[in-house]
Every structure is written in C-alpha cells, then in structure tokens.
C-alpha cells in the first residue's frame, strides 16, 4: 500500500500562502491572478504544440458562435414583424408580398444550418484535439518519468504528482481551452444582446447581470472546495488504483487466485471508494441545493423584466418582433451569464488541477553530471572502481543503509558480494551503477568521481542482471537486443549472446528468434519458464559488451544445477572484466578472486575464500551454516571450479 502523505504547510489552493496582514492582500491577489494566467499560458502552449490546426479552427468557430445568436435574433425579429405586418391585410399580389418573408425564411434556415454545422464540426475538432493533446501529455509524462531519478520513485509525493499528472492527461487541457473559447464566444454574444437590450432600458442588462452574481459566487466557492477535496483525497484515489491494479496484474493474479484474495481486495476497493465518494457526494448535493435556491432569485428578477418588456411593447407601440427580440435577449443574457459563471469557474478549477501536472513536469533529476565537459572513460581499458567512505540513506529515510564503506574493484577481478538478506548488497549495486548518489563519501571510476562522467555513458559501461530483471512482451530477439539499443542490430552478436547465455533453447522455438513472448499482445505468444527467462536475461547482459558485469542474485529462483550453470558461464565470460556477483548463497564464492562480506551496512570482511575461511569470522560462519546444504554440493562446487578453471585458462 502506498505510504501515508507527509503533512503539508497550509497554503491557498494554488500554493500561494494566505495573506496574514491586510496590506499583503493586493500582492496575494496579484500573485493569484498572475498564477492563473501563467497556468492558462502553459495550457494554451501545450494545446498549440500538440494540435495547432485544431486550435485555429476552434478560434474561428468561437468567433462564429459568438455572433450567430444575435444575427439569428434579428432575423427572427424581422420575420415576425413581416408576418405580423401582413396579418389581416388584403394582398393584391400575394407572391410579391410573400417574397421578403420567403427571403427571411431562407435566411433563417441558412442561419440554423450554419449554427448546427459549426457546432458539429467544432465537436469533431475538439475530439481530435483532445486525443492529440492527451497523447502529447502522456508522452511528456513518459519522457519525464524516463528523466527523473530512480529515487523519485521512493517518494510518495512523487506518486501523488504522477497520479495527478496522469489524470490531467485526459481531456482537461482541451476542456479548459474549449471553456475559454466558450467564454469568449459567450462574451461576444452577451455584449451584442446587451447592446440590443440597452435600446429598451440601460438598467435591464445590469439587473440581469447583478441577479447572476450569487450563483457565480457559489460556483467559484464550490469549484475551490471540489479541488481541495480531490487533492486532499489523493491517497484514497491511489489506494483505489492500487487495489484495482492488483486484480489485473498478471504477476500477482496467481497468488490472488490461490489465496482467494480477490474478494478481500474488491471489498477494500469498495470501502475506500465509499469513503471517498461520501465526501464528494456531500459536496455535489450541497452545491446543487444552494444553486436551486439561488436560481429562484434570478427567476423572479427575470419574471419582472419580462413583464417590463411586455409593458414596453404594449405602451410604446412596438411590434411583436421587438417583443421577441427583447425577451429573447433577456433569456439569452441570463443563459450567457450562467455559462460565463460555470465556464470561468470550470477554467479556474481546471487550472488548479493543471498545477499538479506542471508540478510533476518540474521534477528535476539530481543524478546528473557535475561537469560541463564530462570526463571520458576509455573503452576496453583496465578500470578501477573505488568506494571511499561511502554512506547512504534512502531519500526520505533516516536509516543509514550503508555506513562508511571503502573498497576497490578492478578489471580482471571477479568479486562476490555476500551478506544476509537486507544487508545492503542491492543498495551497493545501485550506488555503483549510479542509480543513486551516496549521501556521504565518493565513488571513483579510474580515480575520478563518477559524478564527473556523463550519466548515460556511465550506465552504458554496465551489463547488469537484477533479481527482478525485465521480461519484455516482445520477440526473443528484441529481448536480447534491448541489452544494447544504442548500436546497430547485429545478428552475429545476437547469436553469440544466445550461445554465451546458454539460451540455445531459442532454436527449438516455433518462430526461432522471432518468437513473440508472453500472451499479453500475441495469440501465439510463448510463456517461458523461469530458467528460460533467466538465460535470455544472461544473453541480454552478454549482448551489451559491457566493461563491468554485475549479477544481482538472479539465481535466487533457480535450482542448484541451473545456478551452477549460471555461475559457470558468468565466470567464463567475465574474464578480464570487472565482475561483481551478488549472492546470499556462497556456492559461487569459492571461485571468486575476492569476496566482500557485507553486513550491518559495512564491509565486514574482504579477501579470498581461503583467507576468509582461515580468519574464521563472518564468512566462515556463513559458509559453515550453509555447509550442510552444500555438503554434497561442495564436490559439485569443486568439480565446477575445476571445469571453470580448465575452461578459462
Ligand atoms: P540486500 O540486497 O542485501 O538484500 P537491500 O540493499 O535490498 O539488501 O536493502 C538494504 C536495506 O535497505 C533494507 O533494510 C531495505 O529495507 C532498505 N531499502 C531497500 N530499498 C529501499 C528503498 N527504496 N527505500 C528505503 N529503504 C530501502
């Protein structure tokens, strides 16, 4: 389950602290308005970059939708007046008299057609823009996730930002732009109708606008509360996606089925949703009820204004078409004010949410090269890696996992790193490969701080197999080639890697190297056994032609024979390289040029098998404890040593 969120400092919804004194208020308002427009700018730039043509169309439709209603109202007025003018009259030439009406009818039809057509085309454009923008944002998120440090994934607030950013990747940015354009077209229409109403009375538009203010205040208030609610309950939403994710996770589904955990997780999901929804429902219902009460006020005001329009038409000998124009203008302005309020409130709320995405995009990597001109490590040369007084605590944790570690590794040396579970072996590998930087001390590559090398270049020097190595739903060939995607694909290298990794089972597969793996995407995809995946991962590591080879307990799931085979290959192929083999089993240690025993975050012992056995310390005890298990295996190990030695000499 994701860890609990750390407490936050109280800030206003958009991260600006509330003013403590009255004289700070103008600055607070200025900052908020500035923040609002800066967020709008970011959204507009995202939409522009992902769908420029769609945005141009949307702008054009916005203008058209602004002017069309008032044009329609005038056509209706003229039509009504023309019809009313003919009522009860004797027509000498009916066709001539009807011509203006016919013309107005055609105009009305054209107006109606264009209004509908523009509406339809606009929805098509918005749907297209939505897809493009959300795809663009998803790519931005993936690119960001690729760039950030692995340590970011240890922080719950990073997950919160990631979850928020992912959620915003949907239709929200386009929704905001759409709402902004709707506001623009509504303003155009509203201003035109206000001008119409002005002819009736300068107060009429004012009264309509004032009557809409309470509803506007309510909308802003609830948008803000809604935003706060969703943000405060990010943990619950992450819990929901965690439980629903568990149920559809291929790797976990076996255990969930066998342990009968399905109902438990569904129940947990429902409980969290119930809690989350209860608060949200309360907010939604409260806003609905308040808005109904407020709308009573605006209905009364509108009723009074309609009565005034009727009075005006009757007592100022206006025509029936004018009644239609004025009353239509009144109704429209009322509607526009509502649209303006809801749209601007939605834009406001939307920009607050977009802030989450912007926050995610601001996540910066810290594992970077410290020099403008990165140091160069000579490929194929003899290398040394030295830990000098390295200490490390995971970000957000006070516990020092590695304490004051000092040791040196060199090319041509095969080192085994042993220690109990949780001793810090994998952490050491993560520091060595610069997935993390030490909290204290330095790691040197060929005498220079590893931070002075380009991070990607440095990573390229490592061929590594982690305990939880990747099993990609791609072809066998791609699974191997992923070991080195920076060079041209080479069939000869792939074949050699298959041989080196002892993955010759590939030849017996129905599609050979082109056999797709896993059933995730392919009907004929093959599910490999643990041992086969293991061999593929070895082949991938060997395909890389790396300077340093690291095996981080990938043998944990293998039987002793298979494990021995992995050791044998690794030892043979790592000849001349800097090789590190991490294991809590000691079967391979007897062969190593050097053994590092890690415990309680320190290097407890450093030496060869014989030296450490003679010392009768930690290694001796560890080895003796495993001796019973390896008692019969020792012959195997000895035999295995002989095989390797004879093969590597
Ligand atoms: P080993 O590989 O020797 O089994 P690890 O290096 O995986 O041990 O872990 C060493 C210690 O660091 C353990 O106590 C573990 O709980 C802790 N640890 C590992 N990963 C993290 C992490 N991402 N955040 C915080 N603590 C971690």
């Amino acid at each position: 389950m994701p860890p609990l969120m750390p407490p936050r400092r109280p800030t206003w919804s958009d991260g600006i602290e509330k003013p403590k004194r009255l004289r700070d208020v103008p600055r607070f308002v200025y900052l908020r308005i500035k923040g609002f427009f800066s967020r709008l700018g970011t959204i507009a730039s995202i939409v522009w970059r992902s769908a420029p043509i769609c945005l141009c169309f949307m702008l054009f439709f916005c203008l058209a939708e602004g002017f069309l209603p008032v044009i329609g109202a005038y056509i209706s007025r003229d039509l009504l007046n023309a019809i009313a003018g003919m009522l009860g009259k004797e027509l000498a030439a009916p066709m001539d008299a009807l011509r203006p009406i016919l013309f107005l009818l055609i105009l009305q039809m054209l107006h109606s057609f264009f209004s509908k057509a523009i509406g339809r085309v606009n929805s098509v454009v918005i749907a297209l823009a939505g897809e493009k923008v959300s795809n663009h944002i998803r790519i931005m998120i993936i690119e960001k996730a690729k760039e950030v440090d692995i340590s970011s994934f240890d922080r719950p607030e990073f997950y919160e930002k990631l979850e928020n950013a992912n959620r915003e990747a949907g239709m929200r940015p386009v929704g905001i732009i759409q709402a902004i354009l709707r506001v623009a077209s509504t303003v155009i229409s509203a201003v035109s109708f206000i001008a119409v109403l002005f002819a009736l009375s300068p107060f009429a538009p004012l009264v309509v606008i004032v009557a809409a203010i309470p509803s506007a205040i309510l909308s802003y208030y609830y948008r803000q509360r809604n935003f706060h609610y969703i943000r405060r309950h990010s943990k619950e939403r992450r819990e929901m996606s965690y439980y629903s994710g568990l149920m559809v996770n291929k790797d976990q589904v076996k255990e969930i089925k066998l342990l009968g955990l399905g109902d438990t997780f569904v129940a947990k999901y429902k409980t969290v949703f119930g809690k989350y929804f209860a608060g949200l429902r309360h907010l939604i219902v409260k806003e609905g009820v308040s808005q109904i009460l407020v709308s009573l006020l605006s209905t009364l005001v509108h009723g009074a204004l309609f009565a005034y329009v009727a009075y005006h038409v009757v007592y100022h000998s206006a025509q029936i078409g004018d009644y239609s124009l004025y009353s239509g203008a009144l109704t429209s302005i009322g509607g526009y004010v509502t649209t303006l309020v809801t749209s601007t409130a939605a834009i406001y709320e939307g920009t607050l949410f977009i802030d989450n995405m912007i926050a995610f995009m601001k996540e910066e990597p810290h594992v970077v090269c410290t020099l403008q001109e990165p140091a160069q490590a000579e490929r194929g040369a003899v290398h040394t890696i030295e830990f000098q007084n390295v200490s490390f605590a995971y970000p957000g944790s006070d516990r020092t996992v590695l304490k004051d570690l000092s040791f040196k590794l060199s090319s041509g040396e095969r080192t085994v790193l042993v220690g109990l579970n949780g001793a810090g072996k994998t952490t050491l590998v993560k520091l060595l490969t610069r997935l993390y930087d030490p909290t204290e001390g330095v790691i040197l590559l060929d005498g220079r701080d590893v931070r002075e090398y380009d991070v990607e270049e440095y990573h390229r020097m490592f061929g590594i197999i982690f305990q939880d190595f990747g099993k990609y739903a791609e072809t066998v060939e791609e699974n191997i080639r992923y070991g080195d995607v920076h060079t041209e694909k080479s069939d000869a290298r792939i074949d050699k890697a298959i041989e080196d990794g002892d993955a010759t089972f590939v030849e017996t597969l129905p599609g050979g190297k082109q056999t797709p793996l896993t059933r995730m995407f392919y009907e004929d995809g093959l599910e490999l056994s643990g041992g086969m995946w293991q061999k593929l991962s070895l082949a991938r590591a060997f395909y890389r032609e790396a300077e340093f080879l690291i095996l981080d307990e990938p043998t944990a799931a293998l039987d002793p024979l298979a494990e021995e085979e992995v050791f044998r290959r690794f030892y043979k192929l790592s000849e001349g390289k800097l090789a590190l083999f991490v294991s809590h089993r000691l079967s391979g240690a007897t062969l190593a040029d050097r053994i590092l025993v890690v415990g309680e975050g320190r290097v407890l012992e450093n030496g060869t098998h014989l030296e450490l056995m003679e010392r009768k310390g930690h290694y001796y005890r560890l080895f003796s404890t495993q001796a019973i298990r390896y008692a019969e295996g020792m012959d195997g190990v000895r035999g295995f040593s002989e095989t390797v030695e004879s093969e590597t000499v």
Side-chain angles (χ1 to χ4, degrees):
M1 200 191 305
L4 288 172
M5 289 295 302
R8 287 175 184 286
R9 274 174 70 215
T11 59
W12 203 246
S13 50
D14 40 12
I16 301 165
E17 280 188 55
K18 275 184 184 177
K20 292 190 192 78
R21 291 161 304 191
L22 195 65
R23 67 190 163 98
D24 293 337
V25 171
R27 186 173 157 70
F28 169 73
V29 172
Y30 164 74
L31 284 179
R32 293 198 69 193
I33 293 175
K34 190 172 150 217
F36 172 72
F37 280 103
S38 128
R39 287 190 292 271
L40 276 191
T42 309
I43 297 163
S45 115
I46 290 176
V47 177
W48 173 249
R49 272 182 288 146
S50 26
I53 297 175
C54 291
L55 189 61
C56 292
F57 271 108
M58 284 160 81
L59 277 169
F60 170 72
F61 294 142
C62 150
L63 288 179
E65 284 186 334
F67 286 112
L68 275 173
V70 75
I71 295 173
Y74 274 106
I75 297 174
S76 296
R77 181 196 68 173
D78 289 351
L79 188 62
L80 266 179
N81 283 346
I83 294 170
M86 288 171 107
L87 288 179
K89 281 189 185 162
E90 282 282 322
L91 299 178
M95 266 334 282
D96 284 351
L98 281 177
R99 198 162 290 134
I101 295 182
L102 210 63
F103 172 72
L104 284 167
L105 273 172
I106 291 172
L107 221 56
Q108 197 176 42
M109 256 168 50
L110 282 176
H111 174 270
S112 156
F113 171 73
F114 277 118
S115 301
K116 279 188 198 140
I118 283 179
R120 290 257 174 245
V121 180
N122 203 10
S123 346
V124 171
V125 171
I126 287 166
L128 291 177
E131 289 298 327
K132 284 185 137 194
V133 172
S134 80
N135 180 49
H136 183 85
I137 294 179
R138 277 193 206 291
I139 290 174
M140 278 166 68
I141 293 174
I142 308 172
E143 290 279 345
K144 196 58 183 179
K146 184 190 90 183
E147 182 190 315
V148 296
D149 294 339
I150 198 159
S151 61
S152 299
F153 291 87
D154 294 331
R155 291 184 288 119
E157 73 265 24
F158 175 79
Y159 280 106
E160 189 196 356
K161 284 185 200 166
L162 185 62
E163 192 250 348
N164 286 329
N166 259 324
R167 199 192 46 235
E168 302 320 326
M171 290 297 281
R172 198 182 289 274
V174 168
I176 293 173
I177 293 292
Q178 195 190 349
I180 294 171
L181 295 178
R182 199 182 312 121
V183 166
S185 66
T186 308
V187 166
I188 296 173
S189 307
V191 168
S192 331
F193 276 118
I194 284 172
V196 171
L197 262 195
F198 215 75
L200 178 73
S201 152
F203 294 108
L206 206 69
V207 173
V208 179
I209 291 167
V210 171
I213 289 177
S215 162
I217 294 174
L218 269 182
S219 282
Y220 283 108
Y221 174 71
Y222 278 101
R223 292 290 62 74
Q224 179 125 346
R225 284 199 59 182
N226 188 42
F227 168 75
H228 272 303
Y229 185 86
I230 293 184
R231 188 154 118 165
R232 261 202 324 272
H233 291 78
S234 160
K235 181 179 156 273
E236 272 121 348
R237 275 203 322 278
R238 277 181 292 142
E239 275 183 280
M240 285 191 278
S241 64
Y242 173 72
Y243 290 127
S244 58
L246 272 183
M247 303 297 294
V248 293
N249 184 322
K250 181 171 170 278
D251 293 332
Q252 269 160 319
V253 81
K254 291 192 290 292
E255 187 168 305
I256 290 175
K257 273 216 179 310
L258 287 176
L259 297 180
L261 286 173
D263 289 340
T264 311
F265 290 140
V266 170
K268 282 192 182 241
Y269 177 91
K270 285 183 180 166
T271 311
V272 180
F273 176 75
K275 237 166 69 190
Y276 175 73
F277 183 64
L280 205 58
R281 184 180 50 204
H282 180 70
L283 264 183
I284 294 170
V285 171
K286 236 173 119 181
E287 181 180 3
V289 172
S290 327
Q291 288 287 18
I292 289 172
L293 291 178
V294 164
S295 71
L296 203 66
L297 170 79
S298 60
T299 312
L300 286 176
V301 172
H302 280 197
L305 282 171
F306 274 117
Y308 177 70
V309 172
Y311 163 83
H312 180 84
V313 170
V314 173
Y315 288 96
H316 291 80
S317 57
Q319 287 179 292
I320 190 72
D322 297 305
Y323 178 81
S324 139
L325 181 67
Y326 293 137
S327 58
L330 261 180
T331 318
S332 303
I333 293 174
Y336 291 143
V337 173
T338 313
T339 309
L340 275 181
V341 169
T342 47
S343 300
T344 47
I347 295 169
Y348 174 64
E349 185 193 22
T351 61
L352 293 181
F353 277 108
I354 285 293
D355 231 14
N356 293 319
M357 194 186 79
I358 296 171
F360 175 74
M361 291 302 168
K362 281 188 182 149
E363 185 84 17
E364 285 296 330
H366 299 288
V367 175
V368 288
C369 179
T370 51
L371 296 183
Q372 289 250 306
E373 286 277 316
Q376 300 288 333
E378 197 188 327
R379 283 303 187 111
V382 172
H383 298 290
T384 58
I385 290 195
E386 188 174 358
F387 274 52
Q388 280 187 353
N389 310 102
V390 169
S391 297
F392 180 72
Y394 278 97
S397 153
D398 298 334
R399 204 165 70 82
T400 312
V401 177
L402 297 176
K403 295 167 206 137
D404 200 23
L405 235 61
S406 295
F407 61 88
K408 193 169 176 180
L409 309 172
S410 317
S411 298
E413 230 183 15
R414 286 166 292 196
T415 306
V416 169
L417 193 63
V418 295
L420 298 176
N421 275 331
K425 303 181 296 294
T426 301
T427 307
L428 192 149
V429 170
K430 287 184 199 162
L431 290 179
L432 179 69
T433 49
R434 224 191 151 201
L435 292 176
Y436 291 84
D437 276 335
T439 324
E440 277 173 49
V442 282
I443 302 170
L444 306 172
L445 165 65
D446 300 338
R448 289 188 76 157
D449 190 333
V450 290
R451 284 173 287 207
E452 293 179 3
Y453 295 89
D454 177 77
V455 182
E456 282 186 15
E457 285 295 323
Y458 184 71
H459 284 167
R460 255 174 237 166
M461 298 180 81
F462 288 89
I464 184 159
I465 310 177
F466 280 110
Q467 282 174 41
D468 45 359
F469 55 82
K471 297 171 182 171
Y472 303 102
E474 309 269 4
T475 60
V476 169
E477 184 178 277
E478 269 164 315
N479 263 280
I480 297 172
R481 205 175 96 73
Y482 283 173
D484 186 1
V485 287
H486 299 285
T487 53
E488 274 290 302
K489 188 185 104 180
S490 149
D491 286 336
R493 266 175 73 194
I494 289 175
D495 292 339
K496 182 165 183 312
I498 289 175
E499 210 183 303
D500 290 346
D502 192 26
T504 40
F505 70 88
V506 169
E507 286 151 23
T508 64
L509 298 181
K513 284 180 283 185
Q514 302 308 329
T515 310
L517 298 180
T518 84
R519 294 267 164 78
M520 189 115 54
F521 307 120
Y522 312 101
E523 275 293 314
D524 57 343
L526 211 70
E527 295 286 355
L528 297 184
S529 71
M532 287 165 156
W533 274 118
Q534 184 74 59
K535 289 176 174 178
L536 271 195
S537 76
L538 263 182
R540 179 157 65 234
F542 292 134
Y543 180 77
R544 195 164 175 81
E545 292 181 349
E547 312 272 309
F548 312 130
L549 277 173
I550 301 180
L551 282 191
D552 182 12
E553 284 198 270
T555 55
L558 295 186
D559 60 66
L561 275 179
E563 182 184 89
E564 187 183 309
E565 180 60 22
V566 171
F567 274 134
R568 200 175 65 78
R569 300 216 152 244
F570 186 70
Y571 270 74
K572 185 173 162 228
L573 290 156
S574 61
E575 213 201 323
K577 301 198 172 183
L578 190 158
L580 187 68
F581 198 99
V582 183
S583 180
H584 65 278
R585 298 188 195 173
L586 305 178
S587 52
T590 48
L591 291 169
D593 300 307
R594 186 222 292 262
I595 298 159
L596 288 176
V597 185
V598 186
E600 296 149 22
R602 299 175 197 279
V603 174
L604 300 174
E605 284 169 2
N606 184 347
T608 62
H609 172 71
L610 287 179
E611 283 166 8
L612 298 187
M613 286 304 278
E614 272 170 26
R615 202 177 291 170
K616 292 210 169 3
H618 297 276
Y619 180 77
Y620 173 80
R621 278 197 298 281
L622 268 175
F623 199 87
S624 308
T625 322
Q626 293 187 4
I628 305 167
R629 232 183 84 212
Y630 284 96
E632 56 189 80
M634 276 310 290
D635 291 336
V637 169
R638 226 172 285 124
F640 157 45
S641 325
E642 281 150 18
T643 329
V644 171
E645 269 153 30
S646 63
E647 281 185 23
T648 50
V649 167

